[in-house]
Amino acid sequence: MFTLLSMTLVTSAADSLNPIAIAQQLVFQSVSRKKNDIIGFILGIGLTNFAAGVLVYYGLAALVQRYLTGILTAYPQIIPIGEIIIGLVLVGYLVHRWVRRKAVVTNEETEIKKPTKTLDFKTLFGLGIISCGLELTSALPYFAFLAILLQYELPFIGVVAILAIYNVIYSMPLIVIFACSLYFSDHLDRFYKKFTVLMGFVISKVIPLLWLACSWYF
């Protein structure tokens, strides 16, 4: 049992270093209505990861996969059609937001008013679910851990306890960032500005160079 707990702590700690989730939380914290609302994002990620672990452990995910495979076989165009619909909805939403923002400007104003903070607890919880769901396809450490966990043949309570410990540690960096926003908001704001500059440099300079290098090599 000590070996299993040690493996749980080490694997979850390594899996918790998720730069995408951390970057998302930093952005969402800056536009959330209240500081405490970001807890919704953390819970969304943690609970989704926990639920996925339970589903995979007990093979329910395989049943869902077979069911979805049957649907995709019968209706092969459902995914591209769905993607087009979602894309049109997002474009319409962005156009709607742009029109509303332009309407805010009055004849006496020369600048667009600063957008109000609109992300509440429920919205952030949903974003956490979506964010974790999109990353589950690349969660190799988690699935490898579940494969090893199957060998111990634990009872249901034991599986729930181990997965709960795993996901609490998995969410710990996000919890630490939230705690820092409560007690060290000034330092966090400075870190966020530097982080934004760094990410802008990586996206605009480093990634294109890596892409060109890989294209030339292969």
Side-chain angles (χ1 to χ4, degrees):
M1 192 64 182
F2 175 77
T3 303
L4 176 59
L5 288 175
S6 301
M7 181 182 63
T8 302
L9 296 176
V10 172
T11 307
S12 58
D15 198 16
S16 69
L17 302 177
N18 187 343
I20 297 177
I22 293 173
Q24 288 174 334
Q25 179 169 334
L26 289 172
V27 174
F28 293 153
Q29 279 188 179
S30 66
V31 293
S32 59
R33 290 182 180 177
K34 301 176 183 178
K35 287 185 177 181
N36 292 339
D37 286 344
I38 199 65
I39 295 176
F41 180 74
I42 300 173
L43 287 176
I45 288 182
L47 292 177
T48 302
N49 208 53
F50 172 81
V54 174
L55 290 175
V56 171
Y57 183 88
Y58 287 103
L60 297 178
L63 295 176
V64 175
Q65 183 180 15
R66 285 199 293 269
Y67 179 73
L68 291 177
T69 301
I71 294 178
L72 293 176
T73 302
Y75 307 99
Q77 300 300 323
I78 191 171
I79 289 183
I81 293 175
E83 291 177 344
I84 292 174
I85 294 174
I86 293 174
L88 292 175
V89 170
L90 291 175
V91 170
Y93 174 75
L94 292 175
V95 172
H96 174 69
R97 289 294 302 271
W98 180 79
V99 172
R100 287 190 60 186
R101 183 176 297 182
K102 294 291 289 184
V104 171
V105 181
T106 62
N107 294 331
E108 297 178 356
E109 294 174 331
T110 57
E111 295 182 357
I112 298 176
K113 290 184 178 180
K114 184 179 180 180
T116 56
K117 298 182 178 182
T118 57
L119 295 181
D120 55 8
F121 181 91
K122 293 181 180 179
T123 304
L124 289 167
F125 182 78
L127 290 172
I129 294 175
I130 295 172
S131 175
C132 184
L134 292 175
E135 293 185 28
L136 283 175
T137 54
S138 59
L140 294 180
Y142 193 34
F143 292 138
F145 170 78
L146 292 173
I148 297 174
L149 185 61
L150 281 169
Q151 301 175 8
Y152 286 85
E153 299 181 354
L154 297 176
F156 178 75
I157 297 299
V159 173
V160 169
I162 290 295
L163 290 180
I165 294 172
Y166 186 102
N167 284 284
V168 168
I169 299 175
Y170 174 77
S171 305
M172 192 57 63
L174 307 181
I175 297 173
V176 170
I177 292 175
F178 168 66
C180 290
S181 70
L182 295 178
Y183 302 103
F184 307 101
S185 58
D186 294 338
H187 297 285
L188 189 63
D189 289 340
R190 287 196 291 269
F191 171 78
Y192 173 69
K193 291 178 181 178
K194 293 180 180 179
F195 182 82
T196 303
V197 173
L198 176 61
M199 290 302 297
F201 174 77
V202 170
I203 293 173
S204 61
K205 300 294 191 300
V206 177
I207 292 180
L209 289 176
L210 289 176
W211 183 82
L212 290 173
C214 292
S215 301
W216 177 79
Y217 181 78
F218 292 103

